Amino acid sequence: MSDALWHVLSASGVDLSRMLIFLPSRRAVRTVEKMLAEKSGGAVILPELVALGEGAPDEVDDDIVCDTISNTARVVMLAKLLAADASIRNITTALPVARDLVRMTDYLENEGVDASTIDWNALVGDEYAAHFQHKAKLLEIITRVLPAYYAGRPTQTAARNSAIRGWTAHLNDYDLVVVCASTASVPATADLMRAVARAPHGRIILSGKYSGDNTDLTRATHPYNAEYKFLTSLGLTESDVQPIDVGASPIDFLNYAFSNNPQIPDDGAMVRHCHLIECARESEEAAVVAEIATRATHENKSVLIITPDAAGNQRAAFALRARGIDADFSGGVSGTMTNTGRAILNVFSDWIDAGDNATFERLYAAAGGNLFEMIVRMVDENRDAFAPAFDMSDAASMQIWAAIKNMSDCIRDADIKLSLSDAYAFLTDAISGVSVRGAMNSAARVVVLGTIESRMQTADVVILTGLNEGMFPARGYENAWLPVRLATQIGLPSADRKVSLQALDFMNLSCGPDVYWTRSGASGGVQTAESRFISRVRARGGAFDTAAGLDILRVVRARDDAAPRPLDYSAPTPPADWSDVYVTALEKLIHNPYTFYVNHILKLRVLDDYWAAPDARQFGDLVHGALESFGNKTAADLVADMDARARSILGADSIIYHFWHKRFLEIAPVALEYLNALPPSVAETAGVVNIAGRNVRARADRIWDGGVLDIKTGTPPTKKQLAEGNMPQLPLEAYILQSGGFTISTTEKSRTPVMVFLQLKSGAVKPIEYSADDTAQMIAAAVDKTTELFNMYSAGGAPYEYRETSDQKYHIYDDLARNRD
């Protein structure tokens, strides 16, 4: 398709900057951008490239910029209305029904049908089953009520379709307008394509190689059915479609294979580049895909993997990671699979299992009936109650918090008072609707896509997975509200339309240079049936290869029986290290010597993830920076300073900013009161002292004549840990002060210093002070422990063994330690 597009563009004689090009997806836009840059041989002003949503309303991303009624608001309001029905009776039961009803009305909207104009009771007459008649009564009420609730605001589907059709008013602003690889299966897109086709400077590049007679093309499952309808609407036939020669391909054979012409073509050898591999189960299929990708990347080839469902995407991701392959995945992870989503749902699930409605009702009432505020307070006040542990400031958490906030606002607007089971149902709906996607890995040689995103994509090796009936192809949306005949009558699309589109995807992708078709004989313990796509190729005499699969399956199955190969798990014993060491590194040496070895001796650092959201470390750095210059500030001034720093990191609209701001309000008055009461002090001061022949360095948060202070935005060490010398940072800083190792003037007061932890932990902001006597004991314990460590490792040559610990900060080098092997 890219070659065909370039042929049309270069033949037009129009400057690229004066072109408007419509493409099927955002990924296709990125592909064309790269193609145009390469073909132009350098810097170029690109055309206007627009991605058109080609999938069903629930299959594409929407960027709706106008004032729309959100799908979440529609679901919440519908759930409230449905819960009043005697056959439903509660929100928990109503919610999935509401979600399906929104989906059905979106399909109608997509087809240009106004559900509020349909007489549902007349449509579903007495001849139909009672449950259909009852649903018709619900539809009659709901479709009359909802327009008033929308208050003139369009749905997201309506706004998207309006935006697509809106381009027709701008076609004359360009010298060349092209629609490439669109199937015209969505009415709004078809309307735009008709306007482009009628324009003298408009061009339509159809996918595949359009051919066939009308008896074939009118079948809902035929690959060119949507294109046939589009061309017919313009009064055009096959003879009006001009082929573009982009080289030899098996498309002619595939066109025969997907037709109902009884003739057996004699060019079945055209698909000999396709290799069928039939696996025993889905996990084996994923391993086969990883084996093919591994072989291809070793030959410096690019790989495109097509997975028709999210589960297949995740299996492929696991198998590729196991083989050490870095891949670019289009699919996201459900919010319910993230630590944040699981932790929140686990709390509510535990309450339900224990029948503990009282705790929910108490917390819900205390938050003023605001579900989001209730959860925020729970996290602020008792993070330990949530499991698994999560970082509330990472990218996944921010998406989940935003979804919960949106759902909570819609519940408030609908004036719904929640029960525990209602809250759990709403939270599950909101969190499961979040798809957490990683950043696009443009450098990866292996790309894993769904069928929609695969349009206009190819690679040296193409792997089509999941080729079973019900999966690839999968039938489209089948509503539970109406009999099939009535659904068709009012304009709902046939479930076979998705089969047609996937058939065209299968044909196009099978024209790649080296193609693998994979399927599993069983799915979830149930025997599967071969995809009709493969069956058609087989029935038409397609001479595809099956031998290559035998070798790949042999290798994959043999890998399960790999002979054990002993590894050297002995702890590292490097030459004696007498280099200067910082006090912050010593706790690593105490609690897990291996982490000290990697960090201090090998000097390996975990690089910051460019795409990762700000975390607790950056929160701590922010607070430390703000408190360095606290003088002459009020609490409000300090909060404003920290807010400004937070906005520069997070952005003013970040959900995480809400949490950080609440912490700032708690921190500022306590920190200022204590810091202002200190004797004259200095911040971030460097110092050094020699212990057992080795320099120990520190950079103290704040020191003064007679004392040292450490700011802890998390949990400080316990008195027991300090007394045993197991957390030596602050005691050694006190020892440096006592020894005159800091560059400040001191008196006798510093001979008997005191220590202070300024604890800024959420819900427990306070100073923790240790007297001169306590500090003296802790200094002695820390110096003794440090001397013992240096004698053991620096002088004694002890191995830097890996030690198990529950503290996550000592686990950052576990992948190097191979402690789980």
Side-chain angles (χ1 to χ4, degrees):
M1 290 303 298
S2 294
D3 289 342
L5 176 61
W6 178 249
H7 172 84
V8 170
L9 300 186
S10 57
S12 71
V14 175
D15 187 87
L16 288 177
S17 64
R18 297 294 304 153
M19 298 178 182
L20 171 62
I21 303 173
F22 294 99
L23 298 162
S25 68
R26 293 168 187 162
R27 188 172 285 269
V29 167
R30 289 192 289 266
T31 298
V32 170
E33 285 175 344
K34 292 180 181 178
M35 181 270 288
L36 293 177
E38 291 171 0
K39 295 284 190 182
S40 301
V44 62
I45 299 177
L46 292 171
E48 182 82 33
L49 300 173
V50 179
L52 294 175
E54 275 283 307
D58 56 325
E59 293 181 315
V60 297
D61 296 324
D62 294 313
D63 284 336
I64 308 301
V65 296
C66 60
D67 182 22
T68 62
I69 178 76
S70 75
N71 287 340
T72 301
R74 295 165 68 200
V75 168
V76 170
M77 179 54 68
L78 280 171
K80 180 181 180 180
L81 293 173
L82 289 167
D85 184 75
S87 64
I88 296 177
R89 294 185 295 180
N90 60 72
I91 291 287
T92 303
T93 306
L95 196 53
V97 181
R99 178 67 68 183
D100 187 64
L101 184 55
V102 165
R103 192 180 183 199
M104 186 189 81
T105 54
D106 275 348
Y107 269 98
L108 285 172
E109 187 121 54
N110 221 27
E111 299 300 315
V113 179
D114 184 352
S116 66
T117 64
I118 298 174
D119 186 341
W120 296 99
N121 290 325
L123 179 70
V124 184
D126 294 340
E127 68 270 25
Y128 292 100
H131 72 92
F132 279 129
Q133 295 180 47
H134 179 68
K135 290 174 181 176
K137 292 177 182 177
L138 287 176
L139 287 168
E140 186 71 27
I141 296 170
I142 288 167
T143 54
R144 297 295 180 269
V145 170
L146 284 183
Y149 173 64
Y150 293 171
R153 292 173 294 171
T155 64
Q156 290 182 323
T157 298
R160 184 194 62 190
N161 290 338
S162 177
I164 291 173
R165 291 186 173 101
W167 277 103
T168 59
H170 300 281
L171 301 184
N172 289 330
D173 297 342
Y174 301 86
D175 296 337
L176 179 67
V177 181
V178 180
V179 180
C180 182
S182 176
T183 58
S185 59
V186 176
T189 307
D191 289 344
L192 173 62
M193 290 173 65
R194 277 189 285 271
V196 173
R198 291 181 177 125
H201 61 302
R203 304 289 185 273
I204 306 293
I205 304 176
L206 298 176
S207 190
K209 185 179 180 181
Y210 182 80
S211 69
D213 58 53
N214 288 356
T215 56
D216 256 353
L217 294 169
T218 53
R219 280 189 297 111
T221 57
H222 193 279
Y224 299 123
N225 178 254
E227 296 181 355
Y228 166 76
K229 291 177 179 178
F230 167 70
L231 291 169
T232 301
S233 72
L234 290 169
L236 303 176
T237 65
E238 180 181 347
S239 62
D240 297 304
V241 179
Q242 302 300 313
I244 300 174
D245 185 5
V246 291
S249 85
I251 193 65
D252 289 326
F253 170 79
L254 292 170
N255 280 348
Y256 271 116
F258 280 79
S259 76
N260 280 346
N261 188 328
Q263 176 186 351
I264 302 296
D266 59 4
D267 53 357
M270 292 182 74
V271 291
R272 61 181 178 272
H273 67 294
C274 298
H275 318 281
L276 175 63
I277 304 179
E278 299 187 271
C279 308
R281 55 194 180 279
E282 291 169 313
S283 58
E284 184 176 80
E285 183 181 8
V288 162
V289 169
E291 175 66 22
I292 298 168
T294 300
R295 295 183 180 191
T297 54
H298 285 170
E299 297 175 4
N300 203 31
K301 293 180 179 179
S302 58
V303 181
L304 173 61
I305 301 171
I306 307 301
T307 58
D309 70 326
N313 187 290
Q314 294 303 309
R315 286 192 296 271
F318 180 82
L320 291 169
R321 281 196 298 268
R323 299 296 299 273
I325 294 177
D326 184 26
D328 178 20
F329 287 88
S330 66
V333 176
S334 168
T336 57
M337 298 297 292
T338 65
N339 281 4
T340 306
R342 287 165 52 208
I344 293 171
L345 291 175
N346 283 346
V347 169
F348 284 77
S349 178
D350 289 345
W351 284 339
I352 291 172
D353 290 344
D356 188 4
N357 293 289
T359 298
F360 167 77
E361 290 170 0
R362 174 176 56 81
L363 295 173
Y364 185 54
N370 187 308
L371 183 62
F372 175 74
E373 181 64 25
M374 169 190 158
I375 298 171
V376 167
R377 291 184 182 185
M378 290 169 62
V379 172
D380 282 348
E381 295 168 6
N382 188 13
R383 181 87 67 86
D384 294 339
F386 291 84
F390 62 90
D391 180 356
M392 67 182 186
S393 61
D394 65 18
S397 291
M398 285 193 282
Q399 292 183 59
I400 288 169
W401 288 121
I404 295 173
K405 177 73 164 57
N406 184 28
M407 178 68 80
S408 179
D409 290 346
C410 293
I411 292 168
R412 178 202 61 207
D413 294 343
D415 195 26
I416 298 174
K417 186 178 184 302
L418 299 177
S419 68
L420 173 57
S421 59
D422 293 342
Y424 182 73
F426 274 124
L427 284 172
T428 302
D429 187 80
I431 294 171
S432 64
V434 174
S435 181
V436 180
R437 297 173 183 264
M440 192 181 82
N441 185 355
S442 58
R445 300 285 297 171
V446 178
V447 178
V448 185
L449 303 177
T451 52
I452 292 175
E453 279 198 312
S454 71
R455 293 166 191 170
M456 292 200 70
Q457 310 297 317
T458 190
D460 299 323
V461 176
V462 178
I463 309 172
L464 305 181
T465 71
L467 282 163
N468 290 325
E469 274 299 297
M471 183 63 65
F472 197 172
R475 283 176 64 80
Y477 173 64
E478 297 179 89
N479 85 93
W481 291 84
L482 297 168
V484 173
R485 185 177 68 81
L486 294 184
T488 304
Q489 179 181 324
I490 65 172
L492 280 171
S494 166
D496 285 332
R497 184 162 77 179
K498 187 170 184 177
V499 177
S500 166
L501 297 175
Q502 287 194 328
L504 186 56
D505 291 332
F506 174 86
M507 288 167 53
N508 288 332
L509 290 163
S510 294
C511 291
D514 192 14
V515 179
Y516 289 85
W517 300 330
T518 70
R519 61 174 298 264
S520 58
S523 174
V526 178
Q527 186 174 355
T528 61
E530 176 183 87
S531 168
R532 69 185 73 179
F533 300 160
I534 297 175
S535 299
R536 275 189 169 274
V537 174
R538 191 192 302 274
R540 293 299 186 145
F544 53 81
D545 168 61
T546 57
L550 299 177
D551 176 61
I552 291 171
L553 281 171
R554 178 186 57 77
V555 171
V556 167
R557 289 167 180 169
R559 188 169 287 111
D560 291 337
D561 300 323
R565 184 175 179 179
L567 296 173
D568 182 4
Y569 290 99
S570 60
T573 53
D577 174 42
W578 291 96
S579 62
D580 292 4
V581 60
Y582 272 86
V583 291
T584 50
L586 289 175
E587 65 179 80
K588 295 184 179 72
L589 191 57
I590 293 169
H591 297 285
N592 190 348
Y594 185 81
T595 63
F596 178 88
Y597 163 74
V598 175
N599 180 266
H600 181 78
I601 296 177
L602 297 184
K603 301 190 184 305
L604 297 182
R605 302 287 185 272
V606 178
L607 296 177
D608 289 336
D609 185 348
Y610 179 81
W611 298 104
D615 55 17
R617 177 174 59 84
Q618 285 168 287
F619 176 85
D621 291 343
L622 182 156
V623 173
H624 277 71
L627 292 179
E628 279 184 33
S629 54
F630 67 89
N632 301 319
K633 286 182 181 177
T634 65
D637 293 336
L638 184 56
V639 170
D641 181 20
M642 291 191 283
D643 278 347
R645 293 169 186 256
R647 284 193 295 271
S648 69
I649 297 171
L650 301 169
D653 297 328
S654 170
I655 291 292
I656 305 305
Y657 175 76
H658 164 85
F659 293 102
W660 284 17
H661 175 70
K662 291 188 70 173
R663 294 280 301 277
F664 300 155
L665 292 175
E666 185 182 15
I667 288 168
V670 177
L672 279 182
E673 180 182 2
Y674 192 82
L675 292 175
N676 281 320
L678 288 176
S681 60
V682 292
E684 293 297 318
T685 305
V688 63
V689 69
N690 191 280
I691 300 176
R694 189 171 186 180
N695 285 339
V696 176
R697 296 187 175 275
R699 180 170 290 278
D701 285 347
R702 189 160 292 275
I703 60 172
W704 63 93
D705 183 17
V708 293
L709 178 144
D710 189 31
I711 297 171
K712 290 290 186 187
T713 51
T715 303
T718 64
K719 186 174 183 179
K720 182 175 183 292
Q721 289 174 319
L722 295 166
E724 292 175 351
N726 289 329
M727 299 296 284
Q729 177 184 344
L730 193 57
L732 289 180
E733 289 177 5
Y735 181 56
I736 295 173
L737 177 65
Q738 186 182 67
S739 304
F742 285 115
T743 56
I744 66 167
S745 299
T746 59
T747 66
E748 284 299 316
K749 294 178 183 178
S750 291
R751 300 301 178 195
T752 55
V754 297
M755 297 191 319
V756 181
F757 288 101
L758 184 53
Q759 177 179 277
L760 306 180
K761 181 182 178 183
S762 177
V765 177
K766 62 182 179 181
I768 300 174
E769 300 174 320
Y770 291 101
S771 67
D773 289 342
D774 285 341
T775 300
Q777 294 176 10
M778 293 170 181
I779 288 174
V783 172
D784 288 347
K785 175 66 74 171
T786 303
T787 301
E788 176 188 340
L789 292 172
F790 291 168
N791 286 338
M792 180 185 302
Y793 293 101
S794 299
Y800 291 85
E801 71 274 21
Y802 181 91
R803 292 181 191 161
E804 291 287 349
T805 171
S806 60
D807 196 326
Q808 288 300 312
K809 66 184 176 183
Y810 304 123
H811 285 271
I812 59 174
Y813 299 114
D814 280 6
D815 54 337
L816 297 178
R818 306 184 70 135
N819 58 301
R820 299 295 181 193
D821 283 4

